Amino acid sequence: MLNKSQKENYTISKDNMKEIINNALHNTLKNVYSVGLLGKDHYSLSQNWVKNFAIELEKYYNNDIEAFCRDENSKEFLYDITIARCNEFSTTHSKTPIRYVSKSIWQIESEFAQNTREIAYDFSKLFSGNAPFKMMVGPLKEKESDDEGFNYYMDKMKIMAKSIPNNENWYFLLITHPGDWKKGKDMIWRLFKWLGQDWGDPISYDNWSINEN
């Protein structure tokens, strides 16, 4: 685990996290415009989002921090996104140094299936890691008419979330479902933090028209 000083160094401020999330979403939309995937290929859109989110997090930390993500051109390292401090060593049998994860910083799962069981499965995976920062990304249930509304899936995870260790920082990011990523539609996202007994008010959020991309 990172010590207190290291944890503070790796904390991302609300403003910086807002910029990271917005950049990742804007870049995802920009990448798929030319191939006409908006509102059609949910899987490709969510994969593209994971890749861009990982890229933005890696750019923010820079130096010896590396991102591992679920992508067709790279290997997933246990989670959809792992942000870690890396190191390397050399051997007489290898022409290039061998890189390895020395400290995990963020472990992130992203699941846009509108299925509570699937989201709970990915949420539970986060308990198996030892990173001080963890995040679950799920879909806004924008058409929900009951009192739970936008926060439907996040609220369903409360029972599990009460087992979160006090020394870990857990976040839930809710984003407009990729099926609604269409020109003329609004892109909405809200970021929440677990406060020990419940998710607090959104600590960062934004919404904008997809036409802006």
Side-chain angles (χ1 to χ4, degrees):
M1 293 290 292
L2 301 177
N3 61 39
K4 183 178 179 181
S5 175
Q6 289 172 321
K7 184 184 292 187
E8 290 173 352
N9 290 338
Y10 290 120
T11 299
I12 302 176
S13 71
K14 291 188 294 184
D15 288 342
N16 285 330
M17 183 60 80
K18 182 174 182 177
E19 182 178 3
I20 288 169
I21 294 170
N22 274 334
N23 285 346
L25 288 170
H26 278 292
N27 289 336
T28 299
L29 290 166
K30 188 185 303 181
N31 291 344
V32 300
Y33 268 153
S34 60
V35 291
L37 292 178
L38 288 182
K40 297 179 182 179
D41 189 339
H42 303 171
Y43 180 76
S44 294
L45 289 170
S46 62
Q47 289 283 88
N48 203 282
W49 145 255
V50 167
K51 179 184 69 176
N52 280 293
F53 192 30
I55 289 171
E56 291 299 320
L57 286 167
E58 186 177 69
K59 282 166 55 180
Y60 171 79
Y61 286 116
N62 206 347
N63 299 324
D64 60 342
I65 304 304
E66 191 168 343
F68 301 85
C69 70
R70 182 187 66 195
D71 177 62
E72 65 272 13
N73 297 319
S74 61
K75 292 183 178 180
E76 174 183 337
F77 188 78
L78 302 179
Y79 300 91
D80 288 346
I81 298 175
T82 298
I83 305 297
R85 194 166 74 224
C86 296
N87 212 325
E88 61 185 34
F89 64 93
S90 300
T91 72
T92 57
H93 304 291
S94 177
K95 293 181 180 180
T96 59
I98 298 174
R99 290 186 63 76
Y100 66 94
V101 169
S102 58
K103 290 288 185 181
S104 292
I105 300 169
W106 282 88
Q107 290 160 340
I108 301 170
E109 283 293 306
S110 182
E111 178 56 74
F112 284 105
Q114 293 178 307
N115 182 302
T116 305
R117 186 180 301 276
E118 291 294 325
I119 293 172
Y121 173 77
D122 281 351
F123 190 83
S124 67
K125 287 171 63 177
L126 295 173
F127 284 98
S128 66
N130 66 353
F133 301 98
K134 298 179 180 180
M135 183 186 293
M136 182 69 210
V137 183
L140 278 167
K141 197 167 183 177
E142 298 177 50
K143 297 179 181 179
E144 185 63 41
S145 59
D146 63 24
D147 292 339
E148 293 173 309
F150 278 2
N151 305 339
Y152 179 84
Y153 295 110
M154 182 184 72
D155 287 342
K156 294 299 182 184
M157 300 302 111
K158 282 183 182 179
I159 293 176
M160 297 169 62
K162 289 181 180 180
S163 297
I164 293 173
N166 293 331
N167 63 340
E168 293 184 356
N169 298 272
W170 284 49
Y171 300 84
F172 209 119
L173 174 61
L174 294 167
I175 302 176
T176 298
H177 189 275
D180 291 320
W181 294 5
K182 303 172 184 177
K183 291 184 178 180
K185 294 282 188 175
D186 284 343
M187 171 64 74
I188 303 170
W189 65 262
R190 297 177 177 180
L191 180 65
F192 299 82
K193 184 177 182 180
W194 181 251
L195 300 181
Q197 293 297 319
D198 202 350
W199 303 102
D201 294 330
I203 62 171
S204 192
Y205 56 89
D206 209 351
N207 66 282
W208 30 269
S209 172
I210 293 179
N211 288 334
E212 295 174 8
N213 291 273

